[in-house]
Amino acid sequence: MVRLITHNLLACHVKNCNANNFPLEFQNVQLEIREAEFNPEFVKGFLPKIEWKALVDTARQLGDTSLPNEQPEMLDDDFLKNLHHVLLEIHVEEGSMVCPNCKHEYPISSGIPNMLLAEHEIA
Amino acid sequence: MIPTPDLSHLSTKDYDLVYEPAEDTFLLLDGLEADLDALKAAEPRICLEIGSGSGCVSAFLSKILGPSSAVYICTDINPHANKATRGTGRQNQVELDPVNAVFALPLQQRLRGSVDVVLFNPPYVPTSFEEAQMSQNQGNIGGAWAGGWDGMEVTNKFLEQVEELLSPQGRFYLVALKQNNVPEIRQRMEDIFKLHSEVVIERRAGREYLYIIRFTR
Ligand SMILES: C[S@@+](CC[C@H](N)C(=O)[O-])C[C@H]1O[C@@H](n2cnc3c(N)ncnc32)[C@H](O)[C@@H]1O
Ligand SMILES: [Zn+2]
């Protein structure tokens, strides 16, 4: 499953594609929601690693509008629960991810993203 | 004793395509268990396994650290291994996030300086260069062991990349064979990347003499 937490960490790595190569854009996705145990300490601890705009835009594109444009200063439980849901409970099972720069398409099948490149595309 | 993850969902047919946990796998589990207190104290948030195969090691790590306290990203070049990893997570009530990739290449940019625990039980068996090269390109079961002439051709590539991934308190656990020249590996990582290391555990298993090395900043 490509969860949004993983998606927020993946960038295009085609040779010479090193600007505007993140976030990859989901296309033709099939989603699955699977409950995960809520651990506020984890969500808070992970927060500094998140590329916020990429996460919010991607969540909205997938139909989840629960996250604010800016990271709030007060981390209340409601916010952390929404963030938990977006990061860990939305699974992209099928579809693909397309690089905004070079348009390389990374397919997702049975929840597994294929990030392999052909020899000539490798840096 | 922490129990080994439940792998009963995998059959001998799966092990035609995916590396079956063996002495090297179990030595890595023992090494992690020996380091348990220090691992827990560091409160890892991002764990990354390169070449997760069946997913046995990451499932174990997730069990001992707590499934909800970190994210467990697992790469492998073999798509059957990615599937097995996902299945092993679910069989053990933990969520592993498999990615079909060479090392951590698509994650390298975003995970710079962020990974708290890196695990790699690499293809370490000395083989011909061609065999290693072919297995790497095809992502097949041969990629589980074929390591090129000194068994280090695949591992060496990752050794160039791992320092960049580690967080300030990050730890990197590597499985190595005696023939891989463990003192040389350790010296090189110290000289080039200033990574300190220790042998956590070592053991003879049949014809192989195996080590678990832990690297830290
Ligand atoms: C010795 S097996 C270890 C499997 C499992 N981690 C274990 O300990 O049982 C090595 C694994 O690394 C994978 N592998 C080999 N080269 C790789 C590479 N360049 N990047 C990612 N995975 C690789 C193989 O497909 C195989 O699953
Ligand atoms: Zn690109």
Side-chain angles (χ1 to χ4, degrees):
Chain A
M1 55 289 127
V2 184
R3 299 195 285 178
L4 296 200
I5 193 167
T6 313
H7 172 265
N8 202 259
L9 299 174
L10 291 171
C12 181
H13 59 114
V14 168
K15 184 156 116 188
N16 298 329
C17 183
N18 33 38
N20 187 32
N21 59 346
F22 172 91
L24 303 175
E25 200 180 306
F26 281 121
Q27 286 190 353
N28 307 317
V29 297
Q30 282 174 34
L31 302 181
E32 200 179 294
I33 306 295
R34 289 173 69 95
E35 226 173 279
E37 189 195 332
F38 176 51
N39 181 342
E41 292 315 311
F42 171 73
V43 180
K44 274 187 236 163
F46 193 77
L47 201 54
K49 320 262 190 205
I50 299 174
E51 280 281 350
W52 189 253
K53 186 172 162 20
L55 184 69
V56 173
D57 290 352
T58 304
R60 289 184 186 168
Q61 198 210 333
L62 300 183
D64 187 301
T65 55
S66 64
L67 298 180
N69 284 333
E70 305 289 334
Q71 265 185 41
E73 302 203 343
M74 273 288 294
L75 305 177
D76 61 34
D77 233 36
D78 274 349
F79 167 72
L80 290 174
K81 280 192 174 141
N82 288 337
L83 183 53
H84 162 80
H85 175 71
V86 167
L87 284 175
L88 301 170
E89 297 189 323
I90 303 175
H91 296 242
V92 176
E93 289 292 316
E94 302 291 330
S96 64
M97 295 181 288
V98 177
C99 171
N101 181 41
C102 76
K103 308 296 173 203
H104 186 90
E105 188 173 336
Y106 298 94
I108 301 168
S109 159
S110 308
I112 294 162
N114 178 349
M115 305 301 293
L116 298 176
L117 296 173
E119 193 127 29
H120 66 276
E121 298 163 329
I122 298 170
Chain B
M1 261 283 289
I2 300 157
T4 308
D6 177 3
L7 298 172
S8 59
H9 61 296
L10 297 174
S11 67
T12 47
K13 259 183 90 184
D14 293 305
Y15 294 133
D16 288 341
L17 303 168
V18 177
Y19 187 76
E20 180 170 6
E23 291 300 334
D24 47 344
T25 315
F26 301 129
L27 190 65
L28 181 52
L29 301 189
D30 291 346
L32 293 172
E33 190 169 347
D35 261 9
L36 185 57
D37 292 340
L39 270 170
K40 275 193 171 158
E43 298 194 346
R45 296 288 176 229
I46 303 187
C47 301
L48 171 68
E49 182 175 6
I50 308 298
S52 62
S54 64
C56 178
V57 184
S58 281
F60 181 83
L61 184 68
S62 168
K63 280 276 187 203
I64 63 179
L65 294 179
S68 71
S69 62
V71 61
Y72 301 88
I73 299 173
C74 299
T75 73
D76 205 295
I77 52 172
N78 175 349
H80 303 289
N82 301 133
K83 282 206 191 86
T85 293
R86 169 177 154 132
T88 297
R90 297 211 169 151
Q91 182 78 10
N92 291 277
Q93 292 82 48
V94 302
E95 202 68 45
L96 306 178
D97 290 272
V99 177
N100 190 203
V102 175
F103 306 124
L105 292 184
L107 298 152
Q108 201 82 16
Q109 176 177 330
R110 286 279 296 125
L111 285 183
R112 193 164 295 150
S114 302
V115 188
D116 302 308
V117 181
V118 180
L119 307 173
F120 193 18
N121 177 8
Y124 55 67
V125 179
T127 61
S128 70
F129 172 77
E130 289 74 20
E131 186 178 345
Q133 182 91 338
M134 206 171 69
S135 309
Q136 284 290 305
N137 292 338
Q138 296 176 351
N140 59 19
I141 182 78
W145 60 80
W149 79 272
D150 57 353
M152 284 296 289
E153 280 178 28
V154 179
T155 309
N156 279 342
K157 291 198 183 128
F158 186 63
L159 292 181
E160 298 280 315
Q161 301 163 19
V162 63
E163 187 267 343
E164 188 179 80
L165 292 166
L166 289 177
S167 69
Q169 71 285 1
R171 300 160 158 261
F172 167 42
Y173 293 87
L174 177 71
V175 180
L177 191 64
K178 189 165 216 148
Q179 291 92 305
N180 299 151
N181 194 352
V182 172
E184 188 278 328
I185 298 171
R186 295 180 57 194
Q187 189 64 48
R188 171 157 44 114
M189 294 308 277
E190 181 75 52
D191 292 348
I192 304 181
F193 299 107
K194 301 211 160 47
L195 289 183
H196 312 310
S197 62
E198 242 178 79
V199 171
V200 185
I201 191 167
E202 56 185 277
R203 185 184 295 159
R204 171 168 296 286
R207 287 186 302 139
E208 296 187 334
Y209 196 98
L210 294 163
Y211 296 81
I212 307 299
I213 318 169
R214 178 205 331 107
F215 297 90
T216 51
R217 290 193 183 281

